[in-house]
Amino acid sequence: MKKSLLIILSLLSVLALASCKNQKEPVPPEELCLDIQKIQMDMEYSALKEFYDPEPFEVLKADVLAGKADKIECIYRLKEIISSYHVFHLALQTTQDNKDFGSVIIPFYIMLYGKDYHLYAAAEEYKQYLGSKLLEIAGLPMQEVIERLSKYGSYETPSGKQYCLSHRITVNTMKRAGLAEKNGSVKIKIQNKDGEIKIVKCKPVEALKSRFYAVQPTIENPLFTFQDMNSYYGIKASQEKKTIYVHLNTINGDPDYLFTDLFKDLMTELKKNLYEIVVFDLRYNGGGKASYASLLTNLLSVSRQELEKYNLALVTSGNTYSAACWFINDFLMFFPKTVIFGEETGQAIYNYTDIYFSNILKTLQCEFIFPQGLDTANEYLIKRAREVTHSDIHRGTMPDVEVYENFEDFMKGEDTIYNAIYDYFDGLPRSQ
């Protein structure tokens, strides 16, 4: 009996010690304030120093010292402050070791198709809702949801802000925005393909422990490589549509398939004399390096006379940022007759910040990204901005033909934007 009691007491002691170890130690407020101060120093050094307002940072530091803001509160307050500058290359991102912030997520990935949001991927227990149109979250219409969530990201244009749901969304962020219950559950209102409306209460999932399933089109389309984020870039061709598609998912170099290889493959395809249209698709291109943008533009400009024989099209969206926008504007300088299809870019023309720096904040477990230079003196960019946005240089590059992706077309293996390109150039000679 005594032996059993001793064993039980020993086990209880071990459990008590384990419990103590698992309790989170409070972060000293002075250390949090030091990280905030580092951000302030970076802001004073950055290209945005003329616009830097120290007051919100000072108020936050005072709240931290008064015990009114812990680590998580600090991160969200900083995100809101930084978001107010509306600069893509000014951002606070949590690092991988920050388990408190982003390891638990909602069980869906959401994609924007035109004006509608659809459940593009889902955790296993919710995969029966794949493809459903998302109508409400927490009883709120989607535009109100966007307004609440976009406060915690760096968005420059109205188009870019609409895509704030198109990434992994943490339960902490949903709670902060008033879109999740205390236990992390999220209530969504959806409409399935048959028009049936349902309200589903979803439980959160562990990001690294959950398997997600993506929606699959009824008819596969081999041209949809622009959705393959594992592919940097590539070329597809359709003799039926008399079109070559250059998919640019990033402006970064692939050591196994260089931009010079891409250019050679494009020229080889053009020599077949089977095509009338060349499409450069950057709708999901979040950027890369400006040096690669210049390299690709220079390669294409070498064959300017050859490319000008074709009807040239660019595809953009609110997901198009940074070096992708540099490429677009350089491309338009060499090929001014190019027609842009899709949406306004996520990057505003005035905010081409090019090179940015970062600073690791160890206490917050975040990385602060800030721009080195702001290209406000580029007369060509400002001239084009005024031409395409009717004088508002704080908007992105606007399309000549506004057209949006459509979920129903996607499921049928069709691309609404490509169809608009075919229709636009239908009957036009190559050289026009």
Side-chain angles (χ1 to χ4, degrees):
M1 179 71 179
K2 289 182 178 179
K3 188 174 181 182
S4 299
L5 182 61
L6 285 171
I7 292 172
I8 291 171
L9 289 173
S10 298
L11 286 171
L12 288 173
S13 299
V14 171
L15 288 171
L17 286 171
S19 176
C20 291
K21 287 182 179 179
N22 288 331
Q23 288 181 358
K24 297 173 185 175
E25 295 183 6
V27 179
E30 294 79 11
E31 292 184 17
L32 289 174
C33 286
L34 182 59
D35 274 358
I36 297 170
Q37 188 67 40
K38 289 177 181 177
I39 292 176
Q40 290 183 273
M41 293 173 65
D42 289 340
M43 289 292 293
E44 291 174 350
Y45 170 76
S46 78
L48 300 170
K49 55 189 174 186
E50 294 180 22
F51 309 102
Y52 166 57
D53 179 9
E55 184 179 0
F57 295 97
E58 295 298 331
V59 171
L60 177 56
K61 286 192 293 187
D63 286 348
V64 169
L65 292 173
K68 297 178 181 179
D70 59 10
K71 174 183 171 182
I72 298 296
E73 176 72 12
C74 252
I75 291 173
Y76 279 111
R77 290 267 295 273
L78 285 168
K79 280 179 173 286
E80 288 187 66
I81 294 168
I82 292 165
S83 175
S84 67
Y85 287 84
H86 301 292
V87 175
F88 178 64
H89 286 151
L90 183 72
L92 186 71
Q93 300 175 349
T94 53
T95 53
Q96 289 184 349
D97 59 343
N98 194 332
K99 305 300 182 186
D100 299 333
F101 188 85
S103 60
V104 182
I105 63 173
I106 64 172
F108 295 109
Y109 283 84
I110 301 163
M111 287 282 284
L112 176 62
Y113 290 85
K115 303 296 183 181
D116 299 325
Y117 294 90
H118 287 263
L119 304 183
Y120 181 78
E124 187 166 9
E125 55 267 44
Y126 299 104
K127 64 182 180 181
Q128 68 267 35
Y129 303 116
L130 277 174
S132 295
K133 180 180 176 181
L134 187 56
L135 303 176
E136 294 179 357
I137 297 179
L140 298 172
M142 294 310 299
Q143 201 51 50
E144 175 62 25
V145 172
I146 296 302
E147 292 301 322
R148 293 190 179 202
L149 288 177
S150 61
K151 293 191 301 182
Y152 308 113
S154 298
Y155 301 102
E156 298 187 5
T157 68
S159 178
K161 186 167 74 170
Q162 297 303 311
Y163 285 88
C164 71
L165 283 170
S166 299
H167 54 80
R168 189 172 74 177
I169 305 173
T170 68
V171 167
N172 275 333
T173 300
M174 295 294 281
K175 288 181 181 178
R176 178 77 183 191
L179 300 172
E181 298 177 5
K182 287 185 178 180
N183 63 0
S185 296
V186 176
K187 188 182 292 183
I188 62 173
K189 186 177 182 180
I190 58 174
Q191 183 179 33
N192 65 21
K193 62 180 180 180
D194 298 321
E196 184 182 359
I197 294 177
K198 292 184 178 182
I199 294 177
V200 182
K201 193 171 184 179
C202 311
K203 296 180 181 179
V205 297
E206 288 282 345
L208 299 179
K209 297 179 181 179
S210 301
R211 182 178 179 182
F212 279 78
Y213 297 82
V215 67
Q216 297 297 325
T218 307
I219 302 173
E220 292 290 338
N221 189 332
L223 300 177
F224 281 3
T225 55
F226 57 79
Q227 291 188 334
D228 179 9
M229 292 299 104
N230 293 319
S231 171
Y232 281 19
Y233 39 77
I235 291 175
K236 292 285 183 178
S238 171
Q239 294 183 20
E240 177 191 356
K241 300 295 184 181
K242 298 182 180 179
T243 302
I244 296 176
Y245 312 84
V246 182
H247 296 131
L248 299 171
N249 293 332
T250 181
I251 305 293
N252 280 312
D254 183 346
D256 297 321
Y257 185 56
L258 304 175
F259 273 129
T260 50
D261 299 323
L262 179 78
F263 175 71
K264 288 175 184 176
D265 288 346
L266 174 60
M267 291 300 108
T268 299
E269 203 66 41
L270 290 176
K271 287 176 182 177
K272 295 178 182 178
N273 202 29
L274 298 171
Y275 310 102
E276 295 180 356
I277 304 170
V278 181
V279 178
F280 293 85
D281 197 331
L282 299 99
R283 74 182 85 178
Y284 293 120
N285 194 318
K289 294 184 179 179
S291 57
Y292 284 118
S294 299
L295 170 62
L296 182 56
T297 308
N298 290 336
L299 286 169
L300 295 170
S301 66
V302 171
S303 296
R304 184 174 179 177
Q305 290 185 336
E306 178 63 25
L307 280 169
E308 284 180 336
K309 297 176 184 177
Y310 298 85
N311 293 311
L312 302 178
L314 287 168
V315 179
T316 63
S317 78
N319 277 321
T320 308
Y321 282 97
S322 195
C325 293
W326 276 112
F327 169 77
I328 289 168
N329 281 278
D330 288 347
F331 188 88
L332 292 171
M333 289 180 69
F334 288 107
F335 305 100
K337 292 183 179 180
T338 301
V339 182
I340 304 175
F341 294 81
E343 307 168 18
E344 174 186 16
T345 58
Q347 183 105 38
I349 290 177
Y350 188 76
N351 287 347
Y352 279 5
T353 49
D354 191 18
I355 299 171
Y356 61 87
F357 293 113
S358 66
N359 197 345
I360 299 297
L361 308 169
K362 292 184 178 179
T363 302
L364 287 171
Q365 292 179 298
C366 291
E367 181 181 16
F368 178 57
I369 296 169
F370 59 99
Q372 178 191 26
L374 189 66
D375 198 341
T376 60
N378 191 319
E379 293 182 4
Y380 171 75
L381 292 180
I382 293 174
K383 177 177 180 293
R384 172 156 180 82
R386 287 177 175 151
E387 288 174 352
V388 299
T389 65
H390 306 289
S391 81
D392 188 353
I393 61 176
H394 295 280
R395 296 291 297 271
T397 298
M398 295 291 188
D400 300 298
V401 179
E402 189 176 52
V403 56
Y404 298 91
E405 291 185 272
N406 178 276
F407 184 75
E408 287 71 26
D409 283 352
F410 166 73
M411 290 302 292
K412 293 184 295 185
E414 295 285 333
D415 188 306
T416 314
I417 298 176
Y418 286 169
N419 286 341
I421 293 173
Y422 309 144
D423 291 342
Y424 183 91
F425 290 120
D426 184 35
L428 291 179
R430 281 197 334 186
S431 58
Q432 186 164 327

